[in-house]
Amino acid sequence: MTKTKQLVLTALLFAVALVLSVVENSFPPISAGIPGIKLGLSNIAVMFALFFLYKRQAFTIAVLKALFVLSVRGPIAGLLSLGGGVLSIVVMALLVFAFKDKISYLILSIFGSVAHNAGQFIIISILYTNMYLWVYLPVLLFAGVIAGIATSTLLRFILPALKKLA
């Protein structure tokens, strides 16, 4: 793949991630009593980049998403996005490296989503040293499993359209 095509696909996937984020933010909260629980639809674009392009493009999209979040939601949200996105990609990339073609998108998506929530939890634990945060960790991990299943299912549905791009 030429560098120009890589750049265009990365930019297009970043735009898709932003659109998915805007769409997701227009939905009512999944759980009003539990703050911060989202499906993470924009991570579909990052997962596609990781699976079908190169790891560098997936990291680029995650960092660009974090910079976008920083610019529209502030520094804490930007740090949470960066921490979650980077840890998610690292975990999924390690799993792809370790298991090659023997691991399903569903398992990768679940591990990526759980890692994303764990990365955000690590960042928030550093920023706010309140020990009561640890009570929230099981909720985030469970939500990560549910979000991973949902994003994997959605990726499967939109995969034919995205594969035409690559």
Side-chain angles (χ1 to χ4, degrees):
M1 181 179 308
T2 66
K3 287 187 177 195
T4 303
K5 187 171 182 179
Q6 285 178 23
L7 178 66
V8 170
L9 282 173
T10 302
L12 186 61
L13 287 171
F14 174 58
V16 167
L18 293 183
V19 169
L20 289 172
S21 180
V22 168
V23 167
E24 182 175 23
N25 287 334
S26 69
F27 296 153
I30 293 174
S31 176
I34 305 171
I37 304 295
K38 295 169 54 172
L39 286 177
L41 295 179
S42 65
N43 293 323
I44 292 171
V46 177
M47 287 176 13
F48 180 83
L50 180 66
F51 301 153
F52 298 103
L53 296 177
Y54 301 102
K55 291 163 191 61
R56 185 176 67 239
Q57 276 74 22
F59 277 110
T60 300
I61 294 168
V63 169
L64 288 173
K65 277 179 37 183
L67 290 173
F68 178 77
V69 169
L70 172 76
S71 68
V72 297
R73 294 188 195 150
I76 292 175
L79 282 172
L80 292 173
S81 178
L82 183 63
V86 168
L87 186 59
S88 173
I89 292 169
V90 167
V91 166
M92 288 190 294
L94 287 173
L95 288 170
V96 167
F97 177 76
F99 295 103
K100 308 265 187 263
D101 296 327
K102 298 176 186 168
I103 191 164
S104 70
Y105 294 140
L106 175 64
I107 298 300
L108 285 170
S109 180
I110 290 171
F111 272 89
S113 183
V114 168
H116 194 279
N117 286 355
Q120 289 183 328
F121 184 80
I122 290 167
I123 297 296
I124 208 75
S125 295
I126 292 168
L127 295 175
Y128 302 104
T129 58
N130 185 347
M131 291 303 290
Y132 296 116
L133 290 173
W134 290 98
V135 175
Y136 195 55
L137 184 60
V139 174
L140 283 176
L141 297 179
F142 178 75
V145 171
I146 300 302
I149 292 169
T151 55
S152 172
T153 303
L154 290 171
L155 177 64
R156 190 174 328 144
F157 282 115
I158 66 171
L159 204 54
L162 289 175
K163 278 188 175 179
K164 290 179 184 177
L165 298 173

